[in-house]
Amino acid sequence: MLKLGNRLDVYEPGQLKHKFGVLLIIVAVVLTILALRLWYLQVIKGDDFRQRSENNSLRLRKIKPLRGLIMDRNRKLLTENRPSFNILFIPDKARDINKSIDKIKWFYSLNSLELAGNVSIPDKLKPFVPVTLERNATMEKVAVVEIHSFELPGVVTEITPVRQYLYGEANAQIIGFTGEVSRREIEQDIAGHLSPGDNIGKFGIEKSLDAHLRGESGAEQVEINATGKIVRSLGRIPPKSGNNVVLNIDLELQKAAWEAVGNRRGAVVALNPKNGDVLTLISSPSFDPNIFTGELSADEWEKLSSDPQHPMENRAIAGQYPPGSTYKPIMAAAALETGTITSDKSIYCNGAFEFGDRIFHDWKKEGHGEISLHRAIVESCDVYFYNLGKMLNVDTIAEYARGFGLGAPTGIDLPREKSGLVPTRQWKKDRLNSPWHAGETISLAIGQGFNLVTPLQLVSAYAALANGGTLYRPRIVKQIESPDGRILQSFPPEIKGLLPVSTPNITTINKGLWGVVNERGGTGYLLKRAQQDVCGKTGTAQVIGLPQNAKEKKMTAETNDHALFVCFAPCENPEIVIAVILENAGHGGATAAPVAKKMLDVYFSQKNKLPERRPSQGAPASNKAQKQ
């Protein structure tokens, strides 16, 4: 005070008054500005700031539902839902998503971790719509994010249910997988049920029954802090779980088929011939659908989708193969029904069939000698059926092939089924601009040439022979149930048509199929069983044309013949029909039949039907036919 008094003493009274006047004006101006600013914030912008304040503290959080379960015919679970951690970015808490990603990568690197996959950042961020930075993150990564949460504003973790496929590759082609909904899928969702971050079915049953399996999301109003963390719940609408799906698939048969095929390429399909239930459907190689529940990198997807072994292709319904000798019963049916031959018709086989300037060889070089239709089926005599091909014309054969359901999709409840090919004169003219040659019918008669079938078509055709003539639509799905077990929708058997074959002729053909397995010299004798009679037919389909001089044919892993086997059992009252196709595996009786044998062992051991044998050891009696 003394010093201040000394300093004031240096001013004259007029000067001091002037200084105080200026100071008062400055103070008045500042107070006025502050008052105006306060008025502006409270009166003009008050509502805006109040709304923003509420938005910053309250948020409506989406709660994802549990996806419906998928189970086999015996109610064994094929899928489950397990908790998974996701790392999300909330745009309204930190606008720069790229900066946040870089920070996460930095913190990860300190712990020798890497961000999985590439983050798909929307072109335009919406303030309250989370962006998924990483799915299915490990606990270690979640810990890193939580520890550095104050340095990662807007980055939060959440727990969400994800799909788990309990039997991986074995069931992948049936069940499929789920994945995050794409922008295009959201745009196509007219009902508006989908939003970014949702999981939907992308393949197989997961896709075809997605609307039933998906369930309905719930919501929760939560209070969050400045970093986006949930402080407390203010209200909750629970999600609704999806419906469950029961398949006709038999898990134990499915596993037996998968193990029997091993690392070979091919397909196995088993049906109940009495109603079209699909008991088994295997396609090998396959893929592990569980990889889609996490972050699949572009490189991993490229590697999977461009794999030359085509693991994503469902060979059981989309693989198209020459049927080889499994086609001979259809030729027999056409010849018998048209009166071209009778069941006691015999033909001499010397091991070769000459037609024009070409010689068609039999698989048995020395020939079968004088041979009947029955033994021609049992021993799979090529020359006998070459002669039938000469007697019939391609269009007549095509008519009967279509009658067995070939050349068109079966209508199975799985997407991407292919139709195979039943060639005709008109088809060749339209497709290849070339007339049909009679020699092509000779190849056609033993299931070669332009003939193509899918494994599902083949097993469906034999199922009709087994049940006496009824073609059923193959069905994977048995029923859809609510989460509490109420049946919401069931899928009864559906008859597609009747074979254009009389009961006596079906019986004649089935006796031949019985002989294939049970008579000496039968090409499927390996499958002869003491417990049940099995009817079957072997097939060996050429991948490349056989030269006139058979000795010149050099087999490689890619050109070796496809192995086929189709069977049903018990012959008198068939319960199961199995078709096996192994690519480039050689002879059907040696490689494909053992796969079917293992499946029959499992099927009948499950049913505890051992031992059961017909009173007589002869051929099966006639089946009930739908057409005389």
Side-chain angles (χ1 to χ4, degrees):
M1 292 297 296
L2 182 61
K3 291 181 179 178
L4 177 61
N6 292 339
R7 289 176 61 185
L8 293 175
D9 289 340
V10 303
Y11 292 101
E12 292 293 329
Q15 289 178 315
L16 189 61
K17 185 177 180 181
H18 175 72
K19 293 288 184 182
F20 273 115
V22 171
L23 183 60
L24 287 173
I25 292 172
I26 292 173
V27 171
V29 169
V30 170
L31 289 176
T32 302
I33 291 174
L34 288 174
L36 289 173
R37 182 62 178 169
L38 189 61
W39 174 80
Y40 172 79
L41 293 176
Q42 290 188 337
V43 178
I44 302 299
K45 300 293 289 185
D47 290 340
D48 184 29
F49 287 137
R50 190 178 301 108
Q51 183 66 40
R52 289 175 62 180
S53 175
E54 290 176 357
N55 286 340
N56 286 340
S57 60
L58 302 179
R59 171 163 294 123
L60 195 62
R61 187 173 72 94
K62 190 173 184 178
I63 305 175
K64 295 180 180 177
L66 287 174
R67 195 168 177 83
L69 299 172
I70 301 175
M71 55 193 88
D72 86 334
R73 65 187 299 111
N74 298 311
R75 308 190 75 79
K76 295 178 180 176
L77 286 179
L78 305 177
T79 64
E80 280 186 346
N81 297 305
R82 63 174 176 79
S84 172
F85 289 96
N86 292 339
I87 298 174
L88 309 175
F89 176 80
I90 311 296
D92 71 315
K93 291 297 179 184
R95 296 289 181 185
D96 194 340
I97 186 171
N98 290 308
K99 190 176 179 180
S100 296
I101 293 172
D102 290 340
K103 280 186 176 181
I104 291 174
K105 288 180 177 178
W106 166 250
F107 290 129
Y108 274 2
S109 68
L110 297 178
N111 295 273
S112 302
L113 301 171
E114 291 184 357
L115 189 69
N118 296 316
V119 179
S120 178
I121 303 174
D123 296 334
K124 186 177 181 181
L125 295 175
K126 296 180 179 179
F128 307 113
V129 178
V131 178
T132 303
L133 302 182
E134 191 167 12
R135 289 177 177 275
N136 204 22
T138 64
M139 286 299 296
E140 194 176 5
K141 290 182 175 179
V142 171
V144 170
V145 172
E146 291 294 339
I147 289 171
H148 297 281
S149 61
F150 285 102
E151 299 162 272
L152 295 168
V155 178
V156 297
T157 60
E158 71 165 7
I159 301 176
T160 185
V162 297
R163 211 48 149 177
Q164 186 170 20
Y165 301 98
L166 302 180
Y167 300 94
E169 295 173 277
N171 294 335
Q173 302 289 354
I174 299 173
I175 298 177
F177 56 84
T178 61
E180 185 173 350
V181 65
S182 67
R183 184 184 305 172
R184 182 173 59 84
E185 288 165 334
I186 292 175
E187 292 170 352
Q188 293 174 346
D189 176 32
I190 299 174
H193 293 149
L194 300 175
S195 58
D198 285 348
N199 261 11
I200 63 169
K202 297 279 188 174
F203 194 83
I205 293 296
E206 291 277 33
K207 179 177 181 178
S208 60
L209 294 182
D210 181 67
H212 294 279
L213 290 163
R214 193 190 311 151
E216 296 180 19
S217 297
E220 183 177 25
Q221 190 175 37
V222 294
E223 184 178 348
I224 60 173
N225 63 19
T227 62
K229 309 295 181 189
I230 296 175
V231 177
R232 61 172 176 152
S233 174
L234 301 176
R236 189 172 189 271
I237 300 174
K240 293 181 180 177
S241 298
N243 296 319
N244 298 328
V245 173
V246 181
L247 305 182
N248 287 311
I249 293 294
D250 184 313
L251 176 60
E252 298 308 316
L253 270 184
Q254 187 82 354
K255 290 194 292 186
W258 179 253
E259 291 169 4
V261 170
N263 58 5
R264 295 174 289 186
R265 296 189 309 275
V268 181
V269 186
L271 299 182
N272 179 345
K274 297 176 181 178
N275 54 25
D277 286 357
V278 179
L279 305 176
T280 302
L281 192 144
I282 291 290
S283 178
S284 176
S286 186
F287 60 95
D288 184 359
N290 290 300
I291 63 176
F292 292 94
T293 61
E295 291 291 345
L296 188 67
S297 69
D299 289 343
E300 289 173 318
W301 169 249
E302 176 63 23
K303 183 179 178 181
L304 180 63
S305 59
S306 62
D307 189 328
Q309 300 294 318
H310 304 294
M312 298 287 288
E313 178 187 356
N314 189 341
R315 286 170 161 81
I317 64 172
Q320 301 181 107
Y321 304 90
S325 294
T326 61
Y327 196 70
K328 289 173 180 173
I330 296 170
M331 284 295 299
L336 289 169
E337 285 297 319
T338 56
T340 305
I341 61 167
T342 58
S343 59
D344 57 356
K345 169 73 175 176
S346 293
I347 292 174
Y348 185 76
C349 168
N350 63 0
F353 176 80
E354 189 172 346
F355 187 84
D357 59 353
R358 185 177 174 186
I359 296 176
F360 294 83
H361 296 275
D362 194 282
W363 69 268
K364 191 176 183 180
K365 291 181 182 177
E366 64 273 22
H368 300 268
E370 192 72 21
I371 191 167
S372 65
L373 172 63
H374 176 79
R375 290 300 298 177
I377 294 175
V378 171
E379 299 180 31
S380 200
C381 174
D382 291 330
V383 168
Y384 191 98
F385 288 92
Y386 289 147
N387 278 279
L388 295 193
K390 182 181 178 181
M391 298 176 197
L392 296 166
N393 66 70
V394 60
D395 291 334
T396 300
I397 296 172
E399 178 186 344
Y400 281 89
R402 290 198 188 96
F404 275 80
L406 307 184
T410 65
I412 189 173
D413 41 353
L414 283 177
R416 305 182 182 180
E417 184 186 12
K418 290 192 175 175
S419 61
L421 175 61
V422 173
T424 62
R425 288 188 177 91
Q426 191 63 45
W427 168 83
K428 190 179 178 190
K429 183 179 179 182
D430 295 342
R431 182 66 182 269
L432 304 176
N433 193 28
S434 174
W436 187 266
H437 302 293
E440 293 171 321
T441 311
I442 306 302
S443 294
L444 202 70
I446 61 165
Q448 293 291 158
F450 295 111
N451 264 332
L452 290 175
V453 301
T454 68
L456 181 64
Q457 288 174 334
L458 198 57
V459 75
S460 182
Y462 273 72
L465 278 176
N467 67 31
T470 303
L471 269 172
Y472 286 99
R473 186 175 74 86
R475 297 169 303 136
I476 289 279
V477 180
K478 180 179 181 181
Q479 60 195 33
I480 298 172
E481 299 178 354
S482 66
D484 59 5
R486 287 180 297 109
I487 298 176
L488 302 176
Q489 187 176 358
S490 58
F491 300 89
E494 183 180 330
I495 295 175
K496 288 185 61 184
L498 304 177
L499 294 185
V501 188
S502 68
T503 297
N505 287 337
I506 289 177
T507 301
T508 297
I509 293 168
N510 286 351
K511 285 181 178 178
L513 298 178
W514 182 89
V516 169
V517 175
N518 296 280
E519 293 180 8
R520 291 283 181 185
T523 55
Y525 196 68
L526 185 65
L527 213 70
K528 182 177 173 60
R529 298 166 60 88
Q531 298 84 7
Q532 287 91 24
D533 286 322
V534 178
C535 291
K537 186 70 194 80
T538 56
T540 303
Q542 295 174 6
V543 176
I544 59 172
L546 186 66
Q548 288 294 295
N549 183 354
K551 294 181 180 179
E552 295 177 1
K553 187 180 181 184
K554 295 180 180 178
M555 293 299 187
T556 66
E558 290 74 30
T559 61
N560 198 9
D561 297 334
H562 294 329
L564 298 94
F565 186 74
V566 193
C567 67
F568 55 85
C571 290
E572 277 194 36
N573 185 23
E575 300 174 10
I576 181 170
V577 186
I578 303 170
V580 181
I581 295 182
L582 298 178
E583 296 180 9
N584 311 116
H587 295 286
T591 57
V595 174
K597 182 178 184 301
K598 290 183 179 178
M599 294 179 64
L600 289 175
D601 289 343
V602 171
Y603 179 81
F604 286 109
S605 66
Q606 286 191 126
K607 293 184 70 70
N608 195 25
K609 283 195 169 181
L610 302 177
E612 179 178 303
R613 191 163 177 79
R614 298 181 307 138
S616 68
Q617 299 302 304
S622 62
N623 293 303
K624 293 179 180 178
Q626 303 298 320
K627 179 179 185 298
Q628 297 296 318

